[in-house]
Each structure stands twice: as structure tokens, then as C-alpha cells.
Amino acid sequence: MSLESKLAVDRFAVDEESAHITLADTSGVPRKTLELLVRGCPAGLYRLNDDGSLDFDYAGCFECGTCYVLAHGTALASWYFPRGEMGIEYRRG
Ligand code: SF4
């Protein structure tokens, strides 16, 4: 079974009222750190724009914690697990 097929059976409940990960002001964050987020997020939720700004959407997050390790306190202002009943529900382990 492919990775895409496994992910297709997972369920996401996006908490529209509360983002569980938020970006900080990234204007002073080294580009290398921002590139790490783009390459490190397995869900591909970070995108670096041509002007150096960073886009992020928490919908579709796997809650793996990689971005927390890479950039909490620099590019990320906050990182929490989603509230109960929210976030990803893995169905294939
Ligand atoms: S916790 Fe994992 S999947 Fe979610 S945004 Fe961070 S790196 Fe991406």
C-alpha cells in the first residue's frame, strides 16, 4: 500500500477556531531555518515565497513535532497538540 493510499484513509478534523501551530514574525529568522521547515515538514505545509516570506497552513498537520524541533522559539510562536477531537485521526498506524 502506498503512502498516499495510507494517508487517504486518515481523517482530519480542522479546528477552525484555534490554530495549534502559529508562526512568529519570521522577518529576522535566517532563511536556512525557513528552508528546513519547508524540507522537514512531511505534510508539506510550509512554503517559502520568492520575497522570503513563509506561508503555513496547519490544516493537514500530522502532529509529528518536526517543526517544533526545528524552529520553536524562532520561526514558530506556538506549538500545541490540537484540542480534543481535533486534528488527525490515524487509521493505518
Ligand atoms: S507537526 Fe509535523 S506535519 Fe505538522 S506542521 Fe509540523 S512538521 Fe508539519
Side-chain angles (χ1 to χ4, degrees):
M1 182 178 234
S2 70
L3 175 62
E4 289 75 17
S5 298
K6 290 179 181 176
L7 290 173
V9 299
D10 294 333
R11 188 181 74 86
F12 291 91
V14 179
D15 189 344
E16 304 285 355
E17 297 175 6
S18 177
H20 70 285
I21 300 171
T22 59
L23 292 180
D25 175 3
T26 59
S27 57
V29 177
R31 186 177 176 94
K32 190 170 186 174
T33 299
L34 304 181
E35 290 172 348
L36 281 175
L37 286 170
V38 173
R39 289 200 311 270
C41 175
L45 300 180
Y46 293 90
R47 192 181 72 214
L48 196 51
N49 299 309
D50 291 340
D51 66 0
S53 63
L54 187 69
D55 284 341
F56 170 69
D57 184 356
Y58 63 93
C61 175
F62 297 162
E63 300 169 28
C64 66
T66 302
C67 58
Y68 178 89
V69 172
L70 293 174
H72 186 254
T74 57
L76 301 188
S78 65
W79 197 108
Y80 301 98
F81 284 108
R83 298 187 293 175
E85 307 290 319
M86 297 293 179
I88 189 169
E89 179 183 323
Y90 287 104
R91 295 182 173 176
R92 281 278 177 179

